[in-house]
Each structure stands twice: as C-alpha cells, then as structure tokens.
Amino acid sequence: MIHPLSDCNNSAIPESTNIWQFCVVFPGARIGENCNICSHCLIENDVVIGNNVTVKCGVQIWDGIELEDGVMVGANTTFTGENAMIGAGSVVTKSVPAGEIWVGNPAKFLRKIDEQ
C-alpha cells in the first residue's frame, strides 16, 4: 500500500510493503517485502532496504545506506557514521570513529564494536 499523500516515484515497491503519508521515495531505491515505512521519511536512489524492515517516522535514508532483513530504525534516526553504533536517544555532538559504540546525552564512547 502506498499512501496517496506520499511522493513515491518507485514502481518496484512490493504489494506487501506499506509507504505512509508524506514520504518521498526516489525511483532507484530497492525496498523489500513486508516493510513498513512510516510517515515523513525520505529514501534516496542508492538505498537498499531488506525484507521485514520497519522505518519509523522522520527518518532520512541517504544514498549508500543498506538495511538488512529484520531491521527496525527508530524515529528521527539520521545515518552519519560508517561501521559505528549510536545508542537510542543519544545526542551526537562530534564525529564518531568507525568501529565504536557511543551512548548518552551528550553521546560518549562506550566500547569498540568487537569487544564483549
């Protein structure tokens, strides 16, 4: 289902995927089965979204982003760091190096991604 108030220029959206109101979906984006793209989202051309993905309201998914199957992206998420993880609700005020996890307000280094 593609909501009539969305601007979806992509003819390859599976019938099992929902695109809600006020979304902008570029024609080159690849979006999988059983996805739920909530309102006020932007999905650029060079984006791959797997199957069973939920993208909550207000998310921008820029060129080069790939979301694997079963991912849930929280509301107002912005993708900025390669191979980095930011805790939900964190406020990032500077660059996060690759391979690190940051959390808090303001966000601070927690640990390397491969550490237990």
Side-chain angles (χ1 to χ4, degrees):
M1 187 279 305
I2 298 173
H3 195 284
L5 294 178
S6 68
D7 183 9
C8 183
N9 294 304
N10 189 313
S11 60
I13 305 295
E15 287 187 29
S16 61
T17 288
N18 294 316
I19 308 287
W20 292 99
Q21 66 271 32
F22 311 119
C23 290
V24 176
V25 181
F26 286 50
R30 295 190 325 232
I31 300 175
E33 299 280 344
N34 292 322
C35 293
N36 191 34
I37 312 298
C38 296
S39 67
H40 297 90
C41 290
L42 172 91
I43 302 172
E44 285 194 314
N45 277 309
D46 185 24
V47 168
V48 177
I49 297 177
N51 299 316
N52 304 305
V53 171
T54 296
V55 178
K56 291 300 202 178
C57 301
V59 175
Q60 295 84 43
I61 305 177
W62 308 115
D63 283 337
I65 300 292
E66 181 173 347
L67 303 176
E68 296 183 2
D69 294 347
V71 169
M72 195 286 287
V73 179
N76 299 306
T77 297
T78 300
F79 291 94
T80 57
E82 184 175 340
N83 194 32
M85 185 178 292
I86 310 301
S90 297
V91 176
V92 178
T93 60
K94 55 187 162 184
S95 273
V96 174
E100 293 185 359
I101 300 173
W102 285 46
V103 297
N105 183 3
K108 293 184 170 86
F109 172 76
L110 178 65
R111 65 180 172 88
K112 291 284 191 181
I113 287 176
D114 57 357
E115 294 175 358
Q116 293 297 323

